[in-house]
Amino acid sequence: MITKRIIPCLDVKNGRVVKGVNFRGLGDVSSPIELAKYYSENGADELVFYDITASAEGRQLFTDILCEVARNIFIPLTVGGGINTLEDFDRVLKCGADKVSVNSGAIRNPSLIDEAAKRYGNQCVVISADVKRVDGKFQVFAKGGRENTGMDAIEWIRSCVERGAGEVVLNSIDTDGVRAGFDLEMLGAVCDAVNVPVIASGGAGCIEDFVTLFKKLPKVDAGLAASIFHFGEVRINDLKRELFDSGIQVRL
């Protein structure tokens, strides 16, 4: 049985880790370098680094901080934010990223996924989808959740996987930072649509939320969270022990 992964997420703005609710009201948390090192040493299976305002501000991702983060960790690193070209892929991979997450850049130019998968391999290309319910339908948002594209989320994610994305991070804007549990309905729809690893993001508030996630949706490969890890409310090693005791395979 494939082990489930636990992934902390560093949302970085102006060189600092921040966190909000429903993608809004961002508050300062900590240094990304210090947090990354802590997670690498304390049970995280992977780490996600998002430069969350790069796309909205129309600039490239801050690579100096990224390089320092990569130097301080010994777990796989996924990086996203302002990824619009193959040159952007190349740049962050050379900084130490193992996988590259693309969102707004793929919305603007879907062929970027094909080109990146061909050059770097499917395993390197992660489609990150920011999704929100609009009139009862799952729709894709761009630019850090600021802009509704009007696209059907399930169809969009399926098309990205067909183009070569080897992994999906589903960010539910509806549950982001609310801490009331993962968006099981949205995640179930995505898992039914694709046959690549799906990472659940948005809504974790306690250990039980992860147990529920993996029990109810065994197709989900990983759980991603930020606030509950950053503020020490849930320790990753404690979470993994509880998952293991609940019959869910994890790396201890």
Side-chain angles (χ1 to χ4, degrees), residues 5-10 36 39-41 43-49 66 69-79 93 96-100 123-124 126 167 199 224 240 251:
R5 293 171 287 152
I6 301 301
I7 306 174
C9 178
L10 307 182
Y39 289 134
S40 180
E41 295 171 350
D45 295 298
E46 297 185 18
L47 187 68
V48 169
F49 178 111
L66 173 57
V69 166
R71 275 195 291 269
N72 279 277
I73 67 173
F74 302 95
I75 53 177
L77 175 63
T78 298
V79 177
L93 289 169
D98 298 283
K99 294 182 277 189
V100 181
Q123 80 290 340
C124 181
V126 179
E167 192 168 77
I199 298 173
L224 180 150
K240 286 186 162 187
R251 179 181 65 85

Side-chain angles (χ1 to χ4, degrees), residues 68-133:
E68 194 64 25
V69 166
R71 275 195 291 269
N72 279 277
I73 67 173
F74 302 95
I75 53 177
L77 175 63
T78 298
V79 177
I83 306 297
N84 296 296
T85 65
L86 284 182
E87 288 70 29
D88 291 330
F89 268 82
D90 194 57
R91 193 161 46 84
V92 298
L93 289 169
K94 285 177 177 173
C95 286
D98 298 283
K99 294 182 277 189
V100 181
S101 175
V102 62
N103 186 340
S104 296
I107 292 170
R108 280 189 295 271
N109 175 24
S111 64
L112 176 61
I113 298 172
D114 307 74
E115 295 164 3
K118 186 175 180 180
R119 179 176 293 186
Y120 302 109
N122 300 60
Q123 80 290 340
C124 181
V125 183
V126 179
I127 183 66
S128 176
D130 297 337
V131 182
K132 185 177 182 178
R133 290 168 178 80

